[in-house]
mmCIF file of all heavy atoms in Angstrom:
data_model
loop_
_atom_site.group_PDB
_atom_site.id
_atom_site.type_symbol
_atom_site.label_atom_id
_atom_site.label_comp_id
_atom_site.label_asym_id
_atom_site.label_seq_id
_atom_site.Cartn_x
_atom_site.Cartn_y
_atom_site.Cartn_z
ATOM 1 N N ALA K 24 -24.664 3.192 -4.947
ATOM 2 C CA ALA K 24 -24.254 4.499 -4.424
ATOM 3 C C ALA K 24 -23.292 5.191 -5.378
ATOM 4 O O ALA K 24 -23.413 6.393 -5.651
ATOM 5 C CB ALA K 24 -23.609 4.343 -3.046
ATOM 6 N N LEU K 25 -22.333 4.428 -5.913
ATOM 7 C CA LEU K 25 -21.377 5.012 -6.855
ATOM 8 C C LEU K 25 -22.079 5.518 -8.107
ATOM 9 O O LEU K 25 -21.769 6.605 -8.606
ATOM 10 C CB LEU K 25 -20.300 3.990 -7.223
ATOM 11 C CG LEU K 25 -19.324 3.622 -6.112
ATOM 12 C CD1 LEU K 25 -18.461 2.436 -6.533
ATOM 13 C CD2 LEU K 25 -18.466 4.802 -5.725
ATOM 14 N N CYS K 26 -23.016 4.739 -8.619
ATOM 15 C CA CYS K 26 -23.779 5.194 -9.791
ATOM 16 C C CYS K 26 -24.603 6.428 -9.455
ATOM 17 O O CYS K 26 -24.672 7.375 -10.246
ATOM 18 C CB CYS K 26 -24.685 4.081 -10.309
ATOM 19 S SG CYS K 26 -23.827 2.836 -11.269
ATOM 20 N N GLY K 27 -25.221 6.433 -8.288
ATOM 21 C CA GLY K 27 -26.027 7.588 -7.882
ATOM 22 C C GLY K 27 -25.200 8.856 -7.763
ATOM 23 O O GLY K 27 -25.586 9.910 -8.289
ATOM 24 N N PHE K 28 -24.056 8.761 -7.112
ATOM 25 C CA PHE K 28 -23.189 9.940 -7.005
ATOM 26 C C PHE K 28 -22.608 10.322 -8.364
ATOM 27 O O PHE K 28 -22.442 11.504 -8.672
ATOM 28 C CB PHE K 28 -22.071 9.710 -5.984
ATOM 29 C CG PHE K 28 -22.495 9.963 -4.570
ATOM 30 C CD1 PHE K 28 -22.710 8.907 -3.701
ATOM 31 C CD2 PHE K 28 -22.689 11.243 -4.108
ATOM 32 C CE1 PHE K 28 -23.101 9.137 -2.395
ATOM 33 C CE2 PHE K 28 -23.080 11.492 -2.800
ATOM 34 C CZ PHE K 28 -23.291 10.431 -1.943
ATOM 35 N N GLY K 29 -22.306 9.323 -9.183
ATOM 36 C CA GLY K 29 -21.813 9.611 -10.524
ATOM 37 C C GLY K 29 -22.843 10.355 -11.356
ATOM 38 O O GLY K 29 -22.528 11.346 -12.026
ATOM 39 N N ILE K 30 -24.080 9.904 -11.284
ATOM 40 C CA ILE K 30 -25.148 10.571 -12.040
ATOM 41 C C ILE K 30 -25.400 11.969 -11.502
ATOM 42 O O ILE K 30 -25.651 12.902 -12.274
ATOM 43 C CB ILE K 30 -26.415 9.703 -12.056
ATOM 44 C CG1 ILE K 30 -26.154 8.461 -12.922
ATOM 45 C CG2 ILE K 30 -27.625 10.484 -12.568
ATOM 46 C CD1 ILE K 30 -27.190 7.383 -12.805
ATOM 47 N N SER K 31 -25.286 12.153 -10.189
ATOM 48 C CA SER K 31 -25.448 13.510 -9.644
ATOM 49 C C SER K 31 -24.339 14.424 -10.163
ATOM 50 O O SER K 31 -24.570 15.616 -10.405
ATOM 51 C CB SER K 31 -25.483 13.496 -8.111
ATOM 52 O OG SER K 31 -24.213 13.209 -7.569
ATOM 53 N N SER K 32 -23.148 13.868 -10.360
ATOM 54 C CA SER K 32 -22.066 14.674 -10.946
ATOM 55 C C SER K 32 -22.370 15.022 -12.399
ATOM 56 O O SER K 32 -22.048 16.122 -12.860
ATOM 57 C CB SER K 32 -20.731 13.921 -10.860
ATOM 58 O OG SER K 32 -20.204 14.027 -9.564
ATOM 59 N N TRP K 33 -22.993 14.107 -13.130
ATOM 60 C CA TRP K 33 -23.389 14.412 -14.515
ATOM 61 C C TRP K 33 -24.407 15.548 -14.539
ATOM 62 O O TRP K 33 -24.299 16.475 -15.337
ATOM 63 C CB TRP K 33 -23.954 13.170 -15.195
ATOM 64 C CG TRP K 33 -24.504 13.469 -16.552
ATOM 65 C CD1 TRP K 33 -25.811 13.547 -16.911
ATOM 66 C CD2 TRP K 33 -23.756 13.765 -17.727
ATOM 67 N NE1 TRP K 33 -25.919 13.867 -18.240
ATOM 68 C CE2 TRP K 33 -24.666 14.011 -18.771
ATOM 69 C CE3 TRP K 33 -22.394 13.849 -18.004
ATOM 70 C CZ2 TRP K 33 -24.270 14.321 -20.059
ATOM 71 C CZ3 TRP K 33 -21.999 14.159 -19.296
ATOM 72 C CH2 TRP K 33 -22.927 14.391 -20.300
ATOM 73 N N LEU K 34 -25.381 15.473 -13.646
ATOM 74 C CA LEU K 34 -26.398 16.536 -13.589
ATOM 75 C C LEU K 34 -25.775 17.869 -13.193
ATOM 76 O O LEU K 34 -26.137 18.916 -13.737
ATOM 77 C CB LEU K 34 -27.516 16.146 -12.616
ATOM 78 C CG LEU K 34 -28.333 14.925 -13.033
ATOM 79 C CD1 LEU K 34 -29.289 14.522 -11.917
ATOM 80 C CD2 LEU K 34 -29.083 15.184 -14.327
ATOM 81 N N ALA K 35 -24.823 17.833 -12.263
ATOM 82 C CA ALA K 35 -24.120 19.060 -11.867
ATOM 83 C C ALA K 35 -23.294 19.592 -13.031
ATOM 84 O O ALA K 35 -23.243 20.806 -13.266
ATOM 85 C CB ALA K 35 -23.240 18.795 -10.648
ATOM 86 N N TYR K 36 -22.654 18.715 -13.755
ATOM 87 C CA TYR K 36 -21.874 19.108 -14.940
ATOM 88 C C TYR K 36 -22.777 19.817 -15.958
ATOM 89 O O TYR K 36 -22.395 20.830 -16.533
ATOM 90 C CB TYR K 36 -21.242 17.866 -15.562
ATOM 91 C CG TYR K 36 -20.618 18.101 -16.911
ATOM 92 C CD1 TYR K 36 -19.346 18.645 -17.016
ATOM 93 C CD2 TYR K 36 -21.297 17.772 -18.084
ATOM 94 C CE1 TYR K 36 -18.765 18.860 -18.259
ATOM 95 C CE2 TYR K 36 -20.723 17.978 -19.324
ATOM 96 C CZ TYR K 36 -19.461 18.524 -19.406
ATOM 97 O OH TYR K 36 -18.885 18.746 -20.638
ATOM 98 N N LYS K 37 -23.966 19.291 -16.146
ATOM 99 C CA LYS K 37 -24.895 19.879 -17.116
ATOM 100 C C LYS K 37 -25.460 21.207 -16.620
ATOM 101 O O LYS K 37 -25.778 22.073 -17.423
ATOM 102 C CB LYS K 37 -26.047 18.910 -17.416
ATOM 103 C CG LYS K 37 -25.612 17.610 -18.051
ATOM 104 C CD LYS K 37 -25.001 17.799 -19.407
ATOM 105 C CE LYS K 37 -26.081 18.060 -20.416
ATOM 106 N NZ LYS K 37 -25.598 18.227 -21.770
ATOM 107 N N SER K 38 -25.593 21.387 -15.321
ATOM 108 C CA SER K 38 -26.151 22.615 -14.770
ATOM 109 C C SER K 38 -25.160 23.763 -14.856
ATOM 110 O O SER K 38 -25.458 24.800 -15.420
ATOM 111 C CB SER K 38 -26.575 22.413 -13.316
ATOM 112 O OG SER K 38 -26.923 23.656 -12.748
ATOM 113 N N ALA K 39 -24.009 23.605 -14.246
ATOM 114 C CA ALA K 39 -22.897 24.554 -14.297
ATOM 115 C C ALA K 39 -23.113 25.863 -13.537
ATOM 116 O O ALA K 39 -22.309 26.768 -13.659
ATOM 117 C CB ALA K 39 -22.504 24.848 -15.748
ATOM 118 N N ILE K 40 -24.168 25.997 -12.764
ATOM 119 C CA ILE K 40 -24.398 27.196 -11.945
ATOM 120 C C ILE K 40 -24.075 26.825 -10.493
ATOM 121 O O ILE K 40 -24.614 25.858 -9.958
ATOM 122 C CB ILE K 40 -25.858 27.686 -12.057
ATOM 123 C CG1 ILE K 40 -26.230 27.950 -13.513
ATOM 124 C CG2 ILE K 40 -26.092 28.915 -11.181
ATOM 125 C CD1 ILE K 40 -25.429 29.038 -14.185
ATOM 126 N N TRP K 41 -23.206 27.595 -9.854
ATOM 127 C CA TRP K 41 -22.714 27.268 -8.518
ATOM 128 C C TRP K 41 -23.834 27.016 -7.524
ATOM 129 O O TRP K 41 -23.815 26.035 -6.783
ATOM 130 C CB TRP K 41 -21.753 28.335 -8.007
ATOM 131 C CG TRP K 41 -21.354 28.084 -6.581
ATOM 132 C CD1 TRP K 41 -21.651 28.838 -5.497
ATOM 133 C CD2 TRP K 41 -20.618 26.958 -6.087
ATOM 134 N NE1 TRP K 41 -21.140 28.261 -4.356
ATOM 135 C CE2 TRP K 41 -20.498 27.099 -4.701
ATOM 136 C CE3 TRP K 41 -20.047 25.841 -6.685
ATOM 137 C CZ2 TRP K 41 -19.832 26.182 -3.902
ATOM 138 C CZ3 TRP K 41 -19.375 24.928 -5.883
ATOM 139 C CH2 TRP K 41 -19.284 25.107 -4.516
ATOM 140 N N GLU K 42 -24.816 27.860 -7.474
ATOM 141 C CA GLU K 42 -25.903 27.705 -6.496
ATOM 142 C C GLU K 42 -26.658 26.386 -6.689
ATOM 143 O O GLU K 42 -27.208 25.852 -5.737
ATOM 144 C CB GLU K 42 -26.873 28.892 -6.564
ATOM 145 C CG GLU K 42 -26.305 30.170 -5.995
ATOM 146 C CD GLU K 42 -25.883 30.050 -4.541
ATOM 147 O OE1 GLU K 42 -26.630 29.458 -3.728
ATOM 148 O OE2 GLU K 42 -24.792 30.537 -4.197
ATOM 149 N N GLU K 43 -26.668 25.883 -7.910
ATOM 150 C CA GLU K 43 -27.363 24.627 -8.192
ATOM 151 C C GLU K 43 -26.509 23.399 -7.915
ATOM 152 O O GLU K 43 -27.039 22.304 -7.782
ATOM 153 C CB GLU K 43 -27.840 24.605 -9.649
ATOM 154 C CG GLU K 43 -28.893 25.654 -9.945
ATOM 155 C CD GLU K 43 -29.281 25.697 -11.411
ATOM 156 O OE1 GLU K 43 -28.739 24.905 -12.210
ATOM 157 O OE2 GLU K 43 -30.134 26.522 -11.756
ATOM 158 N N VAL K 44 -25.200 23.562 -7.838
ATOM 159 C CA VAL K 44 -24.326 22.391 -7.689
ATOM 160 C C VAL K 44 -23.595 22.331 -6.353
ATOM 161 O O VAL K 44 -22.994 21.305 -6.038
ATOM 162 C CB VAL K 44 -23.296 22.305 -8.846
ATOM 163 C CG1 VAL K 44 -23.983 22.277 -10.191
ATOM 164 C CG2 VAL K 44 -22.262 23.412 -8.772
ATOM 165 N N LYS K 45 -23.661 23.384 -5.549
ATOM 166 C CA LYS K 45 -22.834 23.393 -4.337
ATOM 167 C C LYS K 45 -23.194 22.284 -3.357
ATOM 168 O O LYS K 45 -22.301 21.738 -2.703
ATOM 169 C CB LYS K 45 -22.847 24.767 -3.664
ATOM 170 C CG LYS K 45 -24.120 25.153 -2.995
ATOM 171 C CD LYS K 45 -23.968 26.525 -2.353
ATOM 172 C CE LYS K 45 -25.250 26.970 -1.719
ATOM 173 N NZ LYS K 45 -25.103 28.301 -1.138
ATOM 174 N N ILE K 46 -24.453 21.894 -3.275
ATOM 175 C CA ILE K 46 -24.800 20.804 -2.360
ATOM 176 C C ILE K 46 -24.253 19.472 -2.859
ATOM 177 O O ILE K 46 -23.865 18.606 -2.070
ATOM 178 C CB ILE K 46 -26.315 20.734 -2.098
ATOM 179 C CG1 ILE K 46 -26.572 19.869 -0.872
ATOM 180 C CG2 ILE K 46 -27.064 20.239 -3.312
ATOM 181 C CD1 ILE K 46 -27.882 20.108 -0.207
ATOM 182 N N VAL K 47 -24.167 19.312 -4.188
ATOM 183 C CA VAL K 47 -23.561 18.108 -4.752
ATOM 184 C C VAL K 47 -22.080 18.075 -4.396
ATOM 185 O O VAL K 47 -21.546 17.028 -3.998
ATOM 186 C CB VAL K 47 -23.767 18.043 -6.283
ATOM 187 C CG1 VAL K 47 -23.005 16.878 -6.889
ATOM 188 C CG2 VAL K 47 -25.245 17.964 -6.626
ATOM 189 N N VAL K 48 -21.420 19.195 -4.514
ATOM 190 C CA VAL K 48 -19.995 19.279 -4.176
ATOM 191 C C VAL K 48 -19.787 18.925 -2.704
ATOM 192 O O VAL K 48 -18.905 18.133 -2.360
ATOM 193 C CB VAL K 48 -19.419 20.673 -4.502
ATOM 194 C CG1 VAL K 48 -17.977 20.800 -4.019
ATOM 195 C CG2 VAL K 48 -19.506 20.954 -5.997
ATOM 196 N N PHE K 49 -20.603 19.482 -1.826
ATOM 197 C CA PHE K 49 -20.474 19.193 -0.398
ATOM 198 C C PHE K 49 -20.733 17.720 -0.112
ATOM 199 O O PHE K 49 -20.002 17.082 0.661
ATOM 200 C CB PHE K 49 -21.418 20.080 0.421
ATOM 201 C CG PHE K 49 -21.182 19.962 1.891
ATOM 202 C CD1 PHE K 49 -20.097 20.582 2.485
ATOM 203 C CD2 PHE K 49 -22.036 19.212 2.682
ATOM 204 C CE1 PHE K 49 -19.856 20.462 3.849
ATOM 205 C CE2 PHE K 49 -21.801 19.081 4.042
ATOM 206 C CZ PHE K 49 -20.712 19.707 4.625
ATOM 207 N N ALA K 50 -21.755 17.146 -0.742
ATOM 208 C CA ALA K 50 -22.047 15.723 -0.547
ATOM 209 C C ALA K 50 -20.885 14.855 -1.025
ATOM 210 O O ALA K 50 -20.554 13.839 -0.388
ATOM 211 C CB ALA K 50 -23.332 15.336 -1.282
ATOM 212 N N GLU K 51 -20.238 15.247 -2.105
ATOM 213 C CA GLU K 51 -19.085 14.503 -2.604
ATOM 214 C C GLU K 51 -17.911 14.571 -1.627
ATOM 215 O O GLU K 51 -17.194 13.584 -1.444
ATOM 216 C CB GLU K 51 -18.645 15.027 -3.971
ATOM 217 C CG GLU K 51 -19.626 14.760 -5.083
ATOM 218 C CD GLU K 51 -19.792 13.291 -5.419
ATOM 219 O OE1 GLU K 51 -19.080 12.438 -4.850
ATOM 220 O OE2 GLU K 51 -20.639 12.993 -6.266
ATOM 221 N N ILE K 52 -17.714 15.718 -1.013
ATOM 222 C CA ILE K 52 -16.640 15.850 -0.016
ATOM 223 C C ILE K 52 -16.883 14.875 1.130
ATOM 224 O O ILE K 52 -15.975 14.144 1.555
ATOM 225 C CB ILE K 52 -16.541 17.297 0.514
ATOM 226 C CG1 ILE K 52 -16.122 18.246 -0.611
ATOM 227 C CG2 ILE K 52 -15.575 17.376 1.691
ATOM 228 C CD1 ILE K 52 -16.324 19.712 -0.278
ATOM 229 N N VAL K 53 -18.114 14.842 1.621
ATOM 230 C CA VAL K 53 -18.446 13.970 2.753
ATOM 231 C C VAL K 53 -18.323 12.500 2.354
ATOM 232 O O VAL K 53 -17.650 11.716 3.029
ATOM 233 C CB VAL K 53 -19.858 14.291 3.293
ATOM 234 C CG1 VAL K 53 -20.278 13.282 4.345
ATOM 235 C CG2 VAL K 53 -19.904 15.710 3.847
ATOM 236 N N TRP K 54 -18.975 12.117 1.260
ATOM 237 C CA TRP K 54 -18.961 10.717 0.822
ATOM 238 C C TRP K 54 -17.544 10.238 0.523
ATOM 239 O O TRP K 54 -17.101 9.219 1.051
ATOM 240 C CB TRP K 54 -19.864 10.541 -0.387
ATOM 241 C CG TRP K 54 -19.557 9.351 -1.250
ATOM 242 C CD1 TRP K 54 -19.082 9.381 -2.516
ATOM 243 C CD2 TRP K 54 -19.699 7.955 -0.922
ATOM 244 N NE1 TRP K 54 -18.907 8.106 -2.999
ATOM 245 C CE2 TRP K 54 -19.285 7.207 -2.039
ATOM 246 C CE3 TRP K 54 -20.116 7.270 0.207
ATOM 247 C CZ2 TRP K 54 -19.281 5.817 -2.063
ATOM 248 C CZ3 TRP K 54 -20.113 5.874 0.177
ATOM 249 C CH2 TRP K 54 -19.709 5.173 -0.951
ATOM 250 N N CYS K 55 -16.840 10.956 -0.321
ATOM 251 C CA CYS K 55 -15.496 10.517 -0.726
ATOM 252 C C CYS K 55 -14.507 10.587 0.432
ATOM 253 O O CYS K 55 -13.639 9.723 0.565
ATOM 254 C CB CYS K 55 -15.004 11.346 -1.912
ATOM 255 S SG CYS K 55 -15.951 11.057 -3.419
ATOM 256 N N GLY K 56 -14.642 11.605 1.276
ATOM 257 C CA GLY K 56 -13.751 11.733 2.424
ATOM 258 C C GLY K 56 -13.929 10.595 3.416
ATOM 259 O O GLY K 56 -12.949 9.946 3.811
ATOM 260 N N LEU K 57 -15.173 10.330 3.794
ATOM 261 C CA LEU K 57 -15.423 9.236 4.738
ATOM 262 C C LEU K 57 -15.054 7.887 4.136
ATOM 263 O O LEU K 57 -14.399 7.064 4.798
ATOM 264 C CB LEU K 57 -16.895 9.238 5.172
ATOM 265 C CG LEU K 57 -17.326 10.369 6.088
ATOM 266 C CD1 LEU K 57 -18.831 10.322 6.331
ATOM 267 C CD2 LEU K 57 -16.577 10.304 7.411
ATOM 268 N N ALA K 58 -15.456 7.650 2.899
ATOM 269 C CA ALA K 58 -15.148 6.372 2.252
ATOM 270 C C ALA K 58 -13.643 6.201 2.090
ATOM 271 O O ALA K 58 -13.109 5.098 2.295
ATOM 272 C CB ALA K 58 -15.861 6.287 0.898
ATOM 273 N N GLY K 59 -12.932 7.268 1.736
ATOM 274 C CA GLY K 59 -11.476 7.188 1.589
ATOM 275 C C GLY K 59 -10.783 6.875 2.894
ATOM 276 O O GLY K 59 -9.874 6.038 2.950
ATOM 277 N N LEU K 60 -11.209 7.539 3.970
ATOM 278 C CA LEU K 60 -10.616 7.269 5.282
ATOM 279 C C LEU K 60 -10.910 5.849 5.747
ATOM 280 O O LEU K 60 -10.038 5.167 6.313
ATOM 281 C CB LEU K 60 -11.106 8.289 6.306
ATOM 282 C CG LEU K 60 -10.614 9.716 6.091
ATOM 283 C CD1 LEU K 60 -11.278 10.666 7.081
ATOM 284 C CD2 LEU K 60 -9.098 9.803 6.192
ATOM 285 N N LEU K 61 -12.122 5.380 5.508
ATOM 286 C CA LEU K 61 -12.451 4.003 5.871
ATOM 287 C C LEU K 61 -11.652 3.000 5.050
ATOM 288 O O LEU K 61 -11.260 1.944 5.554
ATOM 289 C CB LEU K 61 -13.956 3.747 5.707
ATOM 290 C CG LEU K 61 -14.831 4.397 6.770
ATOM 291 C CD1 LEU K 61 -16.300 4.283 6.408
ATOM 292 C CD2 LEU K 61 -14.561 3.786 8.136
ATOM 293 N N MET K 62 -11.388 3.336 3.791
ATOM 294 C CA MET K 62 -10.564 2.454 2.973
ATOM 295 C C MET K 62 -9.130 2.396 3.493
ATOM 296 O O MET K 62 -8.522 1.321 3.497
ATOM 297 C CB MET K 62 -10.584 2.888 1.509
ATOM 298 C CG MET K 62 -11.797 2.410 0.735
ATOM 299 S SD MET K 62 -11.957 0.607 0.667
ATOM 300 C CE MET K 62 -10.446 0.141 -0.181
ATOM 301 N N VAL K 63 -8.597 3.526 3.935
ATOM 302 C CA VAL K 63 -7.245 3.511 4.513
ATOM 303 C C VAL K 63 -7.226 2.571 5.716
ATOM 304 O O VAL K 63 -6.336 1.719 5.848
ATOM 305 C CB VAL K 63 -6.788 4.935 4.922
ATOM 306 C CG1 VAL K 63 -5.520 4.878 5.761
ATOM 307 C CG2 VAL K 63 -6.579 5.808 3.698
#
């Protein structure tokens, strides 16, 4: 999962157009937020 999200960030980095990356940003908020809270 970490590699998958990391690679999606690489693809978003290469794209650089908001409309193409906003779903990646939202998915990162959900994944990192839930995982962070569960880690706490």
Side-chain angles (χ1 to χ4, degrees):
L25 291 170
C26 282
F28 277 106
I30 291 168
S31 71
S32 281
W33 174 254
L34 295 173
Y36 170 81
K37 297 296 284 181
S38 171
I40 304 297
W41 174 246
E42 288 301 316
E43 295 176 0
V44 303
K45 71 179 178 182
I46 196 158
V47 174
V48 174
F49 188 76
E51 292 294 355
I52 295 166
V53 173
W54 157 247
C55 293
L57 289 175
L60 292 174
L61 287 171
M62 278 300 299
V63 169

